[in-house]
Amino acid sequence: MGVYDNMYFDYEAKILEMVRLCISEKNRVLLFNNNSFNKKVRSCLINESALITNNGHDMLPPDYYSEEYGMMFDVMCINDSEQRKHYNPVKMRERKAEKEILTMLGDCVTSDRMIICASETNDISEHTYKSYCKNCQRVVNKHVKKIPIWTKEHPNIRQKGLLICDETEAYFEGVSFPSGHSDPGKSWVRGMVEGTVFHYPWLDRKFVQRIYESPVDFVVWFAPYKPFGYPRIRNMFYPELVIIDTRYSPKGL
């Protein structure tokens, strides 16, 4: 899984840290609407001194807010391997591996070190569009429902957002199955249907309709895995970070 370990993304501060690294390289970022509001969101994210961290377990949402920018947002993670709430075989294997590592090497693991677990299998049923969609809807709805708490806690901050850490690889119309080859670079057979494009969740009604119907003003869609899988093999661009103005729903959504 490389440096983008799922356990690393258990921490909102680490997600925001990676988002800032993406923003530092413009070719990894897409300002979806390319307007001043997109740029304001970008500035808010990178201005560390202007953001107040509010993500402690005993704190009320949102996770971050900025009085200087008049913005606040929650951080959330979505995946395509959760089969039902609290049952995710991929993450269960990661937690088990992490526990075993800490049991054996706990004295060597310090706060400045990262545990990376490669827990993937050849079971194609563990990563599905259906699970991806269902998980996104559940997690988004969970955060949107708490927005009245945000406005009660910060009545003077008007603009509300979601920072979505999308842990999935790029979806596409075509085929994808294990080849049986042991070489990691040849372990899967993949092929896109000619004339199609990669799936962009921020353009998929099933993923964003709840957001556009809610009081959410912006979404930051962070997809650290998507650009570096099949899109790279096909030599096709896929944005790692997309900033979206959700105050106005685009045509077709």
Side-chain angles (χ1 to χ4, degrees), residues 58-205:
D58 58 342
M59 295 180 176
L60 293 173
D63 293 320
Y64 293 91
Y65 66 91
S66 172
E67 294 181 352
E68 179 179 335
Y69 286 87
M71 293 182 168
M72 52 185 171
F73 60 91
D74 249 0
V75 181
M76 51 182 273
C77 288
I78 62 174
N79 63 73
D80 59 356
S81 54
E82 180 184 271
Q83 297 181 12
R84 59 180 182 274
K85 189 176 180 180
H86 303 311
Y87 182 73
N88 187 323
V90 173
K91 288 187 176 292
M92 287 168 65
R93 288 196 300 271
E94 289 173 354
R95 298 292 179 266
K96 181 180 178 181
E98 180 188 28
K99 185 176 181 180
E100 291 174 351
I101 292 170
L102 290 174
T103 299
M104 293 186 294
L105 305 170
D107 293 340
C108 302
V109 179
T110 57
S111 59
D112 62 337
R113 302 201 174 181
M114 188 193 313
I115 297 175
I116 299 175
C117 298
S119 60
E120 296 301 325
T121 69
N122 288 337
D123 186 352
I124 60 175
S125 68
E126 285 193 346
H127 299 278
T128 66
Y129 172 82
K130 181 179 179 181
S131 295
Y132 182 25
C133 182
K134 184 178 179 181
N135 180 257
C136 182
Q137 291 173 347
R138 181 184 71 77
V139 177
V140 166
N141 194 52
K142 172 186 173 184
H143 285 265
V144 167
K145 280 184 174 180
K146 294 181 180 179
I147 287 180
I149 299 175
W150 305 15
T151 54
K152 183 179 178 181
E153 291 295 302
H154 307 284
N156 296 323
I157 298 180
R158 293 179 50 206
Q159 294 166 337
K160 300 166 284 293
L162 297 175
L163 196 170
I164 300 174
C165 178
D166 186 337
E167 299 176 353
T168 70
E169 290 194 39
Y171 274 74
F172 56 89
E173 185 178 350
V175 295
S176 180
F177 57 87
S179 67
H181 202 289
S182 59
D183 185 335
K186 301 177 181 178
S187 58
W188 284 79
V189 175
R190 292 186 171 96
M192 283 181 74
V193 173
E194 187 175 353
T196 62
V197 297
F198 285 103
H199 174 257
Y200 302 111
W202 52 90
L203 294 178
D204 188 333
R205 180 190 297 270

